[in-house]
Amino acid sequence: MNKRLYLLLLALTLGLEPAGAMHIMEGFIPMKWCIIWYLIALPFVVLSYRFVARIVKASPRMKSTFALSAAYTFILSALKVPSVAGSSSHLTGTTLGTLAIGPMAMPLVGTIVLLFQALLLAHGGISTLGANIFSLSIAGPFVAYALYRLLMGLRLHRNVAIFVATFCGSMATYIVTSFQLAFVYPDAVSGIMGAAWKFLGIFAITQVPLSIIEGVLTVVVIGLLDKSQVNTSVYTGGMKEEAQTKKSLRPQVILLSILGAICLALPILAGIFDIGTGTDDQAGDMIGHLTPGFSPTPFWESFEPSELGEPLLFALQVAIGIALFAWGYYQLVYKKRLKKEHEEHI
């Protein structure tokens, strides 16, 4: 279990750019459907809370694990990168948290993440929170977990299992979002399936290269973090042992620090350069095509950051995530390693 916690440090590779993407924005679906998705998502959130409370009580170390999972999903789900045909979209981030603590923890993580983003970053919405929880932190994680267990049961290489689970978990989020919108805005001729294909043409096609990127990054970073677990073979005692541990961890720490510096710069760069039209904007255009005269009807007005302040707020979000993961790395890798080496050589 603790070994998988190292997956969460991938957040150090991230940067942010505000947009809707897999989050259905406030006012994009009518209240009836908002209520339906709340009713579907709520039992998962309650069960998730009980699951997290139980594992935290059984192991106090799981408090930091849960905090890392929430911070990781919070950062990665807001990462906007260019995709195909001049569009841009987001990675999801829930698969790695799923592999670290299990899919039942993710609905609660997703709720925290989505509430924070909706209230402080104008990202997603309050009325659409239930729909977003279901797509981001229920559908994606459970698909990823099921595939990971299946592939590991078939004795595939672990890297292959992680890549496929990450790819499919990311795609599942966007596929579900496409159907959520298709239920509300069916095509006048071809119905729900016709509308679903149109939305899939926006979300799924755009997401394919991003899901590949997320899968590759996951495999690469797992390998990097696995190296942090290699024990030093020579006991030198006292301060020398600590120096030996610092030296053996230095390559990983340096690389993660470089990635952290890069991701702090990305939000500012994304605010300066045009990286393409967001899939949320394209989905809004498609809704207008399927339902002539459509206009979003927000049920709740969120805080709207200024054009100048938006990149700075997301850079701050990156900095908070990096701080949390740096603390997690120290607690779960460095301190544990020192303690283990000390116990082995007493």
Side-chain angles (χ1 to χ4, degrees), residues 317-344:
Q317 186 174 343
V318 174
I320 293 172
I322 291 174
L324 286 174
F325 278 94
W327 176 83
Y329 188 87
Y330 178 76
Q331 294 291 327
L332 299 174
V333 177
Y334 181 74
K335 285 187 67 174
K336 179 183 176 181
R337 188 167 170 179
L338 279 178
K339 180 179 178 181
K340 182 176 181 180
E341 290 175 353
H342 181 70
E343 290 174 348
E344 288 177 350

Side-chain angles (χ1 to χ4, degrees), residues 1-13:
M1 178 66 72
N2 286 334
K3 183 177 181 179
R4 294 178 181 174
L5 297 177
Y6 304 154
L7 297 171
L8 301 174
L9 290 172
L10 180 57
L12 293 174
T13 67

Side-chain angles (χ1 to χ4, degrees), residues 80-89 201-203 205-207 209-210 275-279 282:
K80 183 179 181 181
V81 297
S83 186
V84 297
S87 63
S88 58
S89 191
I202 296 172
F203 289 109
I205 293 177
T206 300
Q207 193 62 19
L210 274 67
I275 61 173
T277 303
T279 51
Q282 296 180 1

Side-chain angles (χ1 to χ4, degrees), residues 10-300:
L10 180 57
L12 293 174
T13 67
L14 308 179
L16 302 172
E17 163 69 10
M22 91 286 291
H23 301 341
I24 298 177
M25 300 299 286
E26 182 71 30
F28 269 52
I29 57 177
M31 182 55 70
K32 177 184 75 173
W33 281 98
C34 292
I35 294 173
I36 289 173
W37 287 112
Y38 262 103
L39 293 176
I40 293 173
L42 184 60
F44 286 93
V45 176
V46 173
L47 291 174
S48 179
Y49 173 80
R50 292 180 177 177
F51 171 79
V52 171
R54 185 170 65 252
I55 63 173
V56 167
K57 183 178 180 180
S59 174
R61 290 177 59 84
M62 293 303 294
K63 292 181 181 179
S64 60
T65 306
F66 179 76
L68 287 170
S69 300
Y72 173 82
T73 306
F74 172 65
I75 297 173
L76 192 57
S77 66
L79 173 62
K80 183 179 181 181
V81 297
S83 186
V84 297
S87 63
S88 58
S89 191
H90 295 243
L91 306 182
T92 63
T94 55
T95 300
L96 296 181
T98 298
L99 297 181
I101 54 179
M104 275 310 302
M106 300 315 294
L108 181 59
V109 171
T111 301
I112 295 172
V113 169
L114 292 167
L115 274 174
F116 185 94
Q117 293 178 344
L119 292 172
L120 300 180
L121 300 169
H123 192 66
I126 295 299
S127 66
T128 58
L129 182 64
N132 291 330
I133 289 172
F134 185 84
S135 63
L136 177 66
S137 57
I138 296 174
F142 278 90
V143 167
Y145 184 77
L147 281 171
Y148 179 77
R149 297 293 295 180
L150 174 63
L151 295 176
M152 290 300 291
L154 295 174
R155 299 185 182 279
L156 266 69
H157 193 281
R158 187 181 66 143
N159 288 348
V160 175
I162 293 172
F163 175 84
V164 173
T166 304
F167 176 86
C168 293
S170 174
M171 292 299 299
T173 292
Y174 282 85
I175 291 171
V176 168
T177 299
S178 298
F179 276 94
Q180 286 175 321
L181 293 174
F183 289 144
V184 181
Y185 303 107
D187 187 271
V189 177
S190 52
I192 292 175
M193 284 306 301
W197 280 113
K198 290 180 171 66
F199 286 116
L200 286 169
I202 296 172
F203 289 109
I205 293 177
T206 300
Q207 193 62 19
V208 168
L210 274 67
S211 296
I212 293 173
I213 291 171
E214 185 171 349
V216 171
L217 282 174
T218 302
V219 172
V220 169
V221 174
I222 290 173
L224 173 65
L225 298 176
D226 280 347
K227 292 179 181 178
S228 297
Q229 304 174 68
V230 179
N231 290 323
T232 54
S233 57
V234 179
Y235 174 66
T236 55
M239 294 300 293
K240 291 185 178 180
E241 178 187 4
E242 182 174 351
Q244 180 73 11
T245 297
K246 286 182 178 179
K247 182 177 179 180
S248 60
L249 286 175
R250 190 171 296 162
Q252 291 81 17
V253 172
I254 291 174
L255 181 55
L256 291 172
S257 298
I258 293 173
L259 293 173
I262 292 172
C263 63
L264 278 175
L266 286 176
I268 308 301
L269 295 175
I272 296 173
F273 298 101
D274 181 12
I275 61 173
T277 303
T279 51
D280 54 322
D281 296 325
Q282 296 180 1
D285 294 339
M286 180 58 67
I287 293 172
H289 174 74
L290 295 170
T291 310
F294 166 79
S295 179
T297 54
F299 299 98
W300 180 81

